Amino acid sequence: SEVSEILRVTDADGHEYHQVEYLSQDVIYKEVVNKDARISVVEPMFEYAAQLDYALFQAQIEKYAVFNVALGDSEGKTQFCVPKKIGDRQSSAYIKGNHCAYLSRGKFSEDDVFEVSIDVCPMSYLDDGTIDLLTIDVEGSEYSVLNHLVSNPAIVLVELYHSPPKEFANEKIKEISDWFEKNDYVLVDVVEPD
């Protein structure tokens, strides 16, 4: 049977998780103090990496790291396509050559981006094997992240497009699905309306 709504989940260790409308929502349901928690953020755009670093510092998070790199299959430099329109930059930058759903959906075109050179590395360079919760929103590089993952997180959240029409679909959806199956994850498909 299909899961239509999740209001609250409590894991085997008693940790509670609550549903939110979207992951970047500024809502805290319950303050949780976890002095052992570490937060690691990967953000390829320098201006946003700096903002994240400042926000984590202001929140008095003791153990955090912000990595100003893109994630891919190898180490080096890559061309990153960044929308010229400021409002689209936070969620729509992508590695040149990757399938970007925003392009397919007509939100902007290749003419509406500028290119910057960004450091890139595989996820395995940053993953020390201790990730418990992983969220991935990487505009077409989802399989690269999963394929180079060292940890075996209890929960993996991935934003990707896989529904018709075909041009919206992530090109590696089969590989992504196979990775989850091979690693014994239970897939829960959450569909957000356009």
Side-chain angles (χ1 to χ4, degrees), residues 46-183:
F46 176 77
E47 62 189 291
Y48 301 123
Q51 289 173 6
L52 288 163
D53 187 66
Y54 182 73
L56 291 165
F57 174 78
Q58 288 296 321
Q60 299 179 353
I61 304 296
E62 292 180 18
K63 300 175 190 173
Y64 74 89
V66 177
F67 300 98
N68 183 211
V69 297
L71 295 173
D73 286 316
S74 60
E75 181 182 21
K77 293 274 190 185
T78 191
Q79 289 305 109
F80 217 63
C81 296
V82 181
K84 292 175 185 173
K85 184 178 172 190
I86 299 291
D88 290 333
R89 288 186 189 170
Q90 287 179 301
S91 63
S92 306
Y94 59 97
I95 293 176
K96 185 175 183 175
N98 273 6
H99 178 79
C100 177
Y102 285 91
L103 290 173
S104 301
R105 298 165 82 191
K107 299 238 180 191
F108 55 83
S109 72
E110 292 282 357
D111 295 332
D112 298 324
V113 300
F114 63 92
E115 292 182 24
V116 294
S117 182
I118 300 280
D119 290 325
V120 63
C121 71
M123 181 66 181
S124 58
Y125 284 31
L126 308 177
D127 181 4
D128 66 0
T130 62
I131 296 172
D132 293 318
L133 170 66
L134 177 66
T135 63
I136 304 171
D137 182 1
V138 290
E139 304 304 330
S141 293
E142 295 83 5
Y143 184 67
S144 293
V145 173
L146 294 170
N147 196 38
H148 295 282
L149 191 62
V150 174
S151 294
N152 185 18
I155 299 172
V156 179
L157 304 170
V158 181
E159 180 192 76
L160 52 88
Y161 296 91
H162 63 89
S163 58
K166 185 179 178 185
E167 62 269 13
F168 286 17
N170 184 294
E171 295 172 339
K172 299 225 177 208
I173 190 69
K174 171 102 173 78
E175 291 91 338
I176 293 167
S177 296
D178 289 349
W179 184 92
F180 279 105
E181 186 176 320
K182 180 180 90 176
N183 289 283

Side-chain angles (χ1 to χ4, degrees), residues 15-29:
H15 302 112
E16 290 184 10
Y17 303 89
H18 299 269
Q19 180 172 327
V20 294
E21 293 299 317
Y22 46 93
L23 290 178
S24 60
Q25 184 173 332
D26 288 337
V27 175
I28 299 173
Y29 286 94

